[in-house]
Amino acid sequence: MSTSELQELCENVTQLTQEVGDFIRGERKHFKQSSVEKKGHNDLVSYVDKTAEQMLVNGLSELLPGSGFITEEKTSSVKGQVYNWIIDPLDGTTNFIHGLPCFCISIGLLKGETLVLGVVHELNLDECFYAWENGGAYMNGDKISVSPEKRLGESLIATGFPYHDYDRMVPYMEVFDYCMRNTHGLRRLGSAAADLAYVACGRFEAFYEYGLNAWDVAGGIVLVKEAGGTISDFSGGTNFLFGKEILSSNSGVHEEFLGVIREKFKN
Ligand code: IPD
Ligand code: CA
Ligand code: CA
């Protein structure tokens, strides 16, 4: 696919997230707690996640015939030869269920092993973030870029608390403690996709979390890269899509923050 074909596809994906977003927002208005199911410890879901995902799978299959899917709710097991969509139909399910305003649709497109397109649509502010390989990153039609800040001490940091994997809680909390004392502060929005989108548009200088799945981060990774940011795992390597640990930043504070993470996580 050429860059202009990717751009067209990306714009079509944003139209799809608008439609599916209307469904999710509509359901929120009369959502009942009795609709909540438990997939596991602290792992909540409802018919809204599943229906939204099916709508996305149907729409994306039409937009890119032959493509496959890696999705949180497993509504499709189709594998694509070249292209595979990585989808979280509702990132921030706990917020959605409790009526808190931060939840997103998150979509990434893999070509082979490379992410080439990302869309994160935060549905409460109706902010649709999107990017395609070598095309830059945008929010609702405007180009976005990461913050120019170079000092961790002048940075606002986002994170997510571990939901079920508590094995690395001690180093995680040590980084948390460091950030509390040495930055502008920490925020926990409850949507990793939003955290990444907010790094891409300069609201946060950095975001770190462990225990995430590929569908939590795929869309946001493309946004951060195309907006001028840097992504790594906790060792400074590239195993951040499927490797269950991610450090993303505006680039300017990456080395300094990575040094803190490496020291605490002993990587
Ligand atoms: C969760 C959110 C949250 C992160 C969790 C994820 P979900 O996704 O991204 O911010 O801390 O680890 O599981 O369950 O709302 O799709
Ligand atoms: Ca998620
Ligand atoms: Ca989800």
Side-chain angles (χ1 to χ4, degrees):
M1 228 184 295
S2 67
T3 304
S4 63
E5 286 168 329
L6 260 184
Q7 175 176 357
E8 196 187 331
L9 179 61
C10 195
E11 284 162 3
N12 288 331
V13 175
T14 65
Q15 277 171 26
L16 180 63
T17 65
Q18 198 60 259
E19 286 161 31
V20 178
D22 286 343
F23 163 74
I24 294 173
R25 283 183 289 238
E27 293 310 302
R28 179 52 243 165
K29 289 191 190 127
H30 53 85
F31 188 76
K32 293 195 175 58
Q33 291 299 318
S34 55
S35 305
V36 178
E37 300 162 41
K38 270 197 166 180
K39 288 192 283 186
H41 177 62
N42 279 344
D43 201 358
L44 310 177
V45 71
S46 80
Y47 73 94
V48 179
D49 306 58
K50 295 176 197 171
T51 308
E53 186 176 291
Q54 191 64 66
M55 292 168 80
L56 292 166
V57 166
N58 294 346
L60 295 169
S61 303
E62 271 181 38
L63 288 177
L64 191 59
S67 55
F69 294 91
I70 299 169
T71 71
E72 178 166 21
E73 309 308 339
K74 313 283 182 285
T75 58
S76 170
S77 53
V78 172
K79 293 277 164 281
Q81 298 244 311
V82 182
Y83 290 104
N84 284 285
W85 299 97
I86 306 183
I87 302 176
D88 190 336
L90 185 46
D91 186 61
T93 293
T94 305
N95 285 349
F96 176 88
I97 284 170
H98 287 267
L100 281 172
C102 184
F103 43 83
C104 303
I105 297 171
S106 177
I107 300 173
L109 178 63
L110 270 181
K111 179 183 182 190
E113 300 199 336
T114 307
L115 282 166
V116 293
L117 181 159
V119 175
V120 171
H121 194 149
E122 199 289 305
L123 298 174
N124 298 273
L125 294 174
D126 204 7
E127 289 182 330
C128 187
F129 299 84
Y130 51 99
W132 61 93
E133 192 177 37
N134 301 321
Y138 304 82
M139 191 266 280
N140 291 352
D142 294 326
K143 205 163 198 302
I144 55 170
S145 58
V146 294
S147 147
E149 183 56 55
K150 289 187 166 45
R151 297 156 299 177
L152 195 55
E154 306 298 321
S155 298
L156 187 62
I157 312 298
T159 189
F161 306 146
Y163 270 54
H164 11 245
D165 173 3
Y166 306 115
D167 288 355
R168 291 186 276 169
M169 277 294 274
V170 171
Y172 173 80
M173 292 308 294
E174 284 175 5
V175 174
F176 197 88
D177 182 302
Y178 181 94
C179 290
M180 227 184 264
R181 296 170 197 272
N182 297 291
T183 69
H184 281 185
L186 283 146
R187 298 289 183 270
R188 193 277 195 266
L189 299 181
S191 163
D195 292 324
L196 287 161
Y198 288 7
V199 170
C201 72
R203 293 174 187 165
F204 294 135
E205 274 69 32
F207 162 65
Y208 77 104
E209 185 166 349
Y210 78 85
L212 291 171
N213 289 297
W215 45 77
D216 300 311
V217 296
I221 286 170
V222 186
L223 298 175
V224 172
K225 281 189 178 164
E226 287 295 330
T230 299
I231 319 249
S232 73
D233 56 28
F234 288 178
S235 312
T238 56
N239 191 19
F240 46 78
L241 179 58
F242 294 103
K244 293 190 177 282
E245 55 181 48
I246 188 164
L247 167 60
S248 74
S249 78
N250 65 342
S251 295
V253 303
H254 204 87
E255 280 310 309
E256 189 180 352
F257 198 14
L258 180 60
V260 175
I261 288 192
R262 287 179 93 145
E263 185 200 321
K264 307 296 185 196
F265 281 83
K266 313 253 179 294
N267 283 339

